[in-house]
Amino acid sequence: SSGINAEYGDLTTANEQHDQTTSSEQRDDGVRIIGTFRSCFLTKNGTPRQPSICPYARGSLKISCFNNPQHSLQNLHQFSHVWLLFLFHENGKFKFKAKVSPPRLNGEKAGIFATRSPHRPNNIGMSLVKLDSIEGGTLHVSGIDLIDGTPVIDIKPYIAEYDRPKVDSHCPPWISNPPSKPLTVYFSTNAEQQMSTLSYSDANCLRKRKSSMRFMQNEHELRGSIADIISADPRSVYRKKTGDLVFSFPIDAVDVKVEIKAEAVTVLDICQTEFVHNLLKRNCKHDTKI
């Protein structure tokens, strides 16, 4: 078959001769970017620290490293989940260290390789996400923890027979039984009303209604995603120590403002601020160039 030929480099079909890589995605370090991830998370602030924390958190990946990207995704729809390998492109000037302070240790340190800190010797991340659908050369996935604009370097299918240990696995108590309990989430009357007036899952949000959501399909999904994010307390250890009780974070097409008191958090406001609008406008311009 043509698939076998392509795998072993034997005879190729006419279509396969056009499945060449593009040169524009080649980095100076030799790593090839296969596509840029579009996400409901616009910034690092408020993005889940692990995949699957927010089941309704959605994103998409348009393959850009092939002239015929749909060919590279053939048969992938037969898998329910995929691994995404990507680059932590917003690490900034932070330098990696041998020991770091993961959020679950409340300031105590652990070896870098005992954590999933983004500040690593090589800034490579890996997330297991649910594959919702494939349209042409674009994957639509959910249960994500990648921010918008993340460079993706590879996709691999999740195969339980190989990826799940056949023997008992274990992890330290600070993972299985973290010292900080989940926060109780409440929604103010104002936030409830704001969610009810949004229009959901409109891909052409900026051309129609300014308040339209890009990925969330209904109010239930938005409410659940917000609750999932803030119940895990996305604040850094530093912000917790400094008593940062009121903060905001963008998700999909809105800015969410919350207030934390003791072990409870109240959602105060859900609206599209100028900051979020500018982020969305920038992303729309980027998409038109792809």
Side-chain angles (χ1 to χ4, degrees), residues 27 32-33 51 77 139 238:
R27 286 161 48 97
R32 186 178 296 279
I33 305 303
H77 71 280
L139 287 78
Y238 171 78

Side-chain angles (χ1 to χ4, degrees), residues 143-209:
I144 66 170
D145 63 345
L146 288 75
I147 67 172
D148 199 74
T150 294
V152 177
I153 60 175
D154 203 2
I155 304 167
K156 297 181 185 294
Y158 171 78
I159 305 175
E161 182 179 358
Y162 307 132
D163 295 346
R164 186 171 57 195
K166 291 182 172 60
V167 296
D168 291 338
S169 61
H170 62 274
C171 57
W174 53 274
I175 296 293
S176 58
N177 187 25
S180 300
K181 296 181 179 180
L183 300 175
T184 303
V185 181
Y186 301 95
F187 287 80
S188 67
T189 302
N190 181 55
E192 296 276 9
Q193 182 179 7
Q194 290 172 322
M195 282 192 296
S196 66
T197 59
L198 293 171
S199 61
Y200 291 87
S201 205
D202 181 358
N204 298 315
C205 57
L206 293 179
R207 297 188 182 94
K208 295 183 179 180
R209 291 182 52 187

